[in-house]
Amino acid sequence: HQTHKEGVSALGVVGSLVVSASHDSNLKLYKWGEGQAGVERSVSARSITIAGVASPSPCTIILACWDNTVMVYGMVTGSWRSTVVAHTDAVSCIGWGQGVLATGSWDGL
């Protein structure tokens, strides 16, 4: 069944959870097991489209957002840790690997 109100814009894996993000500004975390899936947690990211999801650890989710920011969500605390203006235009993609966070934007950088 439908869990987002608008189209899904990003997917990721965080520890044992699958994460989906959407143009509806929500992040959904799904727990998988025993042939059944269910929404473990739903998180609102203000009112901005989420374009990408990265995870440096099972406790942290980093989002690329269309308001030029990168947002960091803490899984343990269930709260937003920080929001950083990363570009002069929408952050359109994000990646994490070997301790490096990389973002791309509509600003060409």
Side-chain angles (χ1 to χ4, degrees):
H1 79 281
Q2 183 177 0
T3 60
H4 286 285
K5 294 178 183 170
E6 297 196 30
V8 172
S9 53
L11 290 171
V13 176
V14 179
S16 63
L17 300 174
V18 174
V19 178
S20 67
S22 171
H23 292 281
D24 66 9
S25 304
N26 287 305
L27 191 66
K28 304 282 184 174
L29 292 84
Y30 306 89
K31 192 171 193 171
W32 296 87
E34 303 295 323
Q36 296 183 358
V39 175
E40 174 86 1
R41 190 181 302 181
S42 183
V43 180
S44 175
R46 302 187 321 249
S47 58
I48 194 69
T49 293
I50 302 164
V53 178
S55 178
S57 76
C59 299
T60 304
I61 301 172
I62 305 173
L63 307 177
C65 301
W66 279 9
D67 66 351
N68 312 354
T69 66
V70 171
M71 297 174 64
V72 181
Y73 180 76
M75 294 287 293
V76 175
T77 62
S79 63
W80 295 104
R81 288 196 210 156
S82 64
T83 301
V84 177
V85 176
H87 289 274
T88 59
D89 206 341
V91 182
S92 56
C93 56
I94 192 166
W96 177 271
Q98 300 179 345
V100 176
L101 177 67
T103 61
S105 170
W106 294 350
D107 63 14
L109 299 174

